[in-house]
Amino acid sequence: MSTDRLFRVVADGPLAPVITETLADLVEWLPWEVAINGIATMDGPIDGVYTYGHPHLDGAMLDRLPGVKVISNYGVGVDHINVSDAIARGIPVGNTPGILNGATADMAFTLLMAGARRLMEGDRYARSPEFTVYDPGYMLGREVHGATLGIIGMGRIGEQIARRASGFDMTVLYHNRNRNESAEQTLGVRYSNRDDLLRQSDFVVLSVPLTAETEGMIGSEEFALMKSTATLINVARGSVIQTQALTAALQQKTIYAAALDVTDPEPLPRDHPLLALDNLTIAPHLGSATEQTRQRMAEISIENLRLGLLGEPLQHVVSA
Ligand code: NAP
């Protein structure tokens, strides 16, 4: 394929400089409004789409962008893209699996420990004028070592979370639709149906993709099954949990605490009642946000885009 002109790629930005700098000789970037409004007023075809910050992309939008040869996503989760629509139009969708497992599992464990040991609440107190004297009776948390951890979604990230749990002498239960026998053998994790996992776990971590099946999978019935001493950690996607039910469960102390990297909606409205609760620990979607991992995500998504624009197979392609 000739590259005597720059490929025209629609992206939601602002993009990290490493992306635009690396592709400066290959790509002319067009704003996301082009994907929303179509190219009626633009000259020439659109060659590709690059999704950076989870913008919604579906078949109707792709139909307004004739000529697209590739969609490259910065990240592994592609729930914001209608992958079936893309595949039906012969457009491969690239993502960046594998390289962010460690960083996301580190974040899951950071949240788990912060929630269990009330770290953020302690941080606020330690900085406040109220902290004038040490009291052995305040802010008692829950023990992490020796506790039972339930992982819903024992895939690439789930396995890394289980690996970290072994250093804390935790018993690890997991739930998937299919058994992960290699994880059972190498990590000593035990398969459980979902309800038993919720009943038995001191910590429940969600690391499933957001799909029609997992959307809203944790609601009031599930909170009622959990221990009143349990902490729920979400590093998947916000809408795997029903936000209203979570708010009620934390307000009524049906469960002990929640620690969230992701929320629905994201961000939460600034006056959302969840944000007023001390038994909530929250991060602004930082799962893979380390300098090293974000660099690798940029490299792979750039390579997927480049290969797709040149009509070659992508390094990592999402199946329907
Ligand atoms: P993965 O390797 O595909 O693992 C997903 C696991 O979820 C699989 O073991 C799968 O097993 C299980 N699963 C899927 N549907 C299920 C269902 N209905 N019920 C129970 N288990 C189900 O994916 P991954 O790379 O670990 O990533 C998981 C998700 O994490 C991504 O899709 C993304 O949304 C999220 N993520 C978040 C961040 C962040 O910044 N917070 C970073 C990276 C990824 P079965 O197929 O056997 O059910």
Side-chain angles (χ1 to χ4, degrees), residues 101-225:
N101 305 341
T104 310
D106 288 349
M107 177 53 74
F109 236 85
T110 302
L111 288 168
L112 184 157
M113 298 200 67
R117 300 303 301 271
R118 305 173 65 169
L119 186 67
M120 303 313 292
E121 197 185 341
D123 177 273
R124 288 190 291 274
Y125 183 60
R127 292 168 193 271
S128 77
E130 279 79 51
F131 180 42
T132 53
V133 61
Y134 166 70
D135 173 355
Y138 63 42
M139 273 188 214
L140 307 184
R142 302 293 311 171
E143 252 165 29
V144 175
H145 67 274
T148 296
L149 169 64
I151 300 176
I152 302 184
M154 182 60 76
R156 289 168 294 222
I157 294 169
E159 288 185 16
Q160 288 293 321
I161 297 169
R163 202 174 282 282
R164 282 149 184 72
S166 71
F168 286 82
D169 300 324
M170 297 177 97
T171 300
V172 181
L173 309 176
Y174 79 96
H175 178 70
N176 272 358
R177 290 166 304 180
N178 310 290
R179 281 178 77 147
N180 181 339
E181 282 168 18
S182 92
E184 289 177 26
Q185 279 155 22
T186 57
L187 301 170
V189 298
R190 215 167 66 225
Y191 186 77
S192 168
N193 69 48
R194 203 193 54 171
D195 288 359
D196 283 344
L197 179 150
L198 292 170
R199 279 190 201 98
Q200 291 170 26
S201 298
D202 300 303
F203 299 92
V204 175
V205 177
L206 304 175
S207 48
V208 284
L210 174 61
T211 63
E213 268 180 331
T214 62
E215 186 166 13
M217 85 189 305
I218 304 293
S220 49
E221 285 174 26
E222 288 70 29
F223 287 118
L225 294 175

Side-chain angles (χ1 to χ4, degrees), residues 2-80:
S2 157
T3 55
D4 54 359
R5 68 168 175 87
L6 293 180
F7 291 108
R8 288 151 54 85
V9 176
V10 175
D12 62 307
L15 301 173
V18 61
I19 298 164
T20 47
E21 284 161 16
T22 309
L23 292 168
D25 295 336
L26 194 70
V27 168
E28 176 192 351
W29 297 101
L30 300 176
W32 194 252
E33 285 66 38
V34 174
I36 294 167
N37 301 322
I39 56 163
T41 58
M42 311 289 296
D43 52 345
I46 302 297
D47 301 294
V49 178
Y50 185 84
T51 48
Y52 185 60
H54 306 147
H56 172 77
L57 180 66
D58 61 23
M61 295 168 78
L62 290 170
D63 290 341
R64 294 197 286 271
L65 303 172
V68 168
K69 289 183 274 297
V70 59
I71 299 165
S72 176
N73 183 61
Y74 179 91
V76 63
V78 288
D79 44 276
H80 51 291

